[in-house]
Amino acid sequence: MQRTRNIALCVAAGALVSSVSAAVPAVAAPGSPACKNVALSWAGGTARPGGGSDQQETARVRVKNSGGSTCSLLGAPSVMLTTNGKPETLLQQPGGNTVNLAPGKTATFAITFLSDSGKNGNEIIRPDQAVVTLPGGTVKALTWRWGSVTRQEAASRPGNYVSPIA
């Protein structure tokens, strides 16, 4: 009985740590200035405008240093898909290496999501934008053009997530 209780406590603690780690924003690389002067743009992936494939899709985002000096990024950005101001926060994948961006240079990250046609009975959102908070705190928004997305915030294994910047 005690062993079963201990296992249950460990599982609950692991779930708590997983949910907390998803909410911790990435930070600027130590000793390097955060990227403040950047431009974001869509950069390919499997997602198609209008969406509705009922599959997991990937939309790549390009981060361009539009400032006059090198800056650094470390980790995955925070991304919220918003629908009339209501957010769906995507899980941040852990890890990543420091990316130093010289003026005019670019890096990318991927937004992976479950595209949804609305025919499957899933709870969906129809995002109008992706609000991106880069490591270091710079916030930018991109117009969402990939159609409806299956809501995943409460899923135990979310299919919507963001990769570290590379």
Side-chain angles (χ1 to χ4, degrees), residues 105-119:
K105 296 300 180 184
T106 63
T108 61
F109 65 90
I111 299 173
T112 301
F113 62 96
L114 294 169
S115 179
D116 201 312
S117 64
K119 297 184 256 181

Side-chain angles (χ1 to χ4, degrees), residues 19-117:
S19 65
V20 170
S21 65
V24 176
V27 296
S32 301
C35 293
K36 299 290 182 195
N37 298 309
V38 295
L40 300 185
S41 60
W42 297 112
T46 62
R48 299 287 172 248
S53 70
D54 294 326
Q55 298 179 52
Q56 192 169 46
E57 302 286 354
T58 301
R60 298 201 62 75
V61 177
R62 180 180 300 111
V63 180
K64 180 178 182 180
N65 180 355
S66 54
S69 60
T70 298
C71 62
S72 296
L73 299 165
L74 173 62
S78 170
V79 175
M80 288 189 306
L81 302 180
T82 61
T83 304
N84 298 324
K86 293 182 181 177
E88 165 86 2
T89 302
L90 306 185
L91 178 72
Q92 294 168 282
Q93 288 184 313
N97 296 313
T98 299
V99 175
N100 294 310
L101 286 180
K105 296 300 180 184
T106 63
T108 61
F109 65 90
I111 299 173
T112 301
F113 62 96
L114 294 169
S115 179
D116 201 312
S117 64

Side-chain angles (χ1 to χ4, degrees), residues 2 4 8 16 30 42 48 57 66-67 77 131 149:
Q2 183 64 29
T4 302
L16 178 61
W42 297 112
R48 299 287 172 248
E57 302 286 354
S66 54
V131 178
V149 175

